[in-house]
Amino acid sequence: MLVREAMSTVVLTIGPAHTLRQAAGLMSARRVGAAVVYDPDADGIGILTERDVLVSVGLGQDPDRERAHAHTTTDVVFAAPSWTVEEAARAMVHGGFRHLIVLERGEPAGIVSVRDIIRCWVPERSRHEATAAIV
């Protein structure tokens, strides 16, 4: 299976001046675990994840004062839509992260997460059984 079939096309994009509280609120509302951070004045695209917000709060930093740019990963590994989910999984394991921004023609086309990959690998019937067991 290819990344284009597994990725979420819901891409939350925020600016570097967003506070961590604003970013967390937007991620929560969209039910996503990461936001693409786009700064038109800087080179490249970054990513802010729920883990980045959690680390900041755990350090006692004020989420109303902390800005996304201070917590954004800018050394990002990007996936291509034509990658296999196995290639994406290997990149995640190697890099120690749970989200990959998928670029197509230099623009974010989606995000693939560990959860997306697991959904590809778990048969549909097993997913329904697991959901029924939780309820």
Side-chain angles (χ1 to χ4, degrees), residues 8-114:
S8 170
T9 56
V10 175
V11 179
L12 172 61
T13 303
I14 63 170
H18 276 81
T19 66
L20 292 187
R21 183 175 308 280
Q22 289 170 324
L26 290 167
M27 285 190 274
S28 177
R30 296 265 186 103
R31 300 185 64 168
V32 297
V36 171
V37 181
Y38 178 69
D39 184 353
D41 298 327
D43 239 1
I45 298 169
I47 189 167
L48 179 76
T49 68
E50 57 199 358
R51 183 181 294 164
D52 297 324
V53 175
L54 184 65
V55 167
S56 175
V57 171
L59 291 172
Q61 297 173 336
D62 183 351
D64 291 313
R65 292 181 183 251
E66 290 297 312
R67 302 291 172 178
H69 69 84
H71 301 277
T72 298
T73 299
T74 54
D75 185 19
V76 179
V77 175
F78 297 101
S82 59
W83 280 18
T84 66
V85 291
E86 289 84 3
E87 288 172 304
R90 269 192 231 101
M92 289 178 187
V93 169
H94 180 74
F97 44 79
R98 298 179 296 164
H99 299 86
L100 281 170
I101 299 171
V102 182
L103 289 186
E104 191 163 40
R105 293 187 273 297
E107 296 292 323
I111 293 185
V112 64
S113 69
V114 169

Side-chain angles (χ1 to χ4, degrees), residues 114-128:
V114 169
R115 180 176 292 159
D116 296 326
I117 291 172
I118 290 170
R119 283 185 185 128
C120 293
W121 289 342
V122 175
E124 186 69 28
R125 182 175 168 197
S126 296
R127 281 190 289 206
H128 290 300

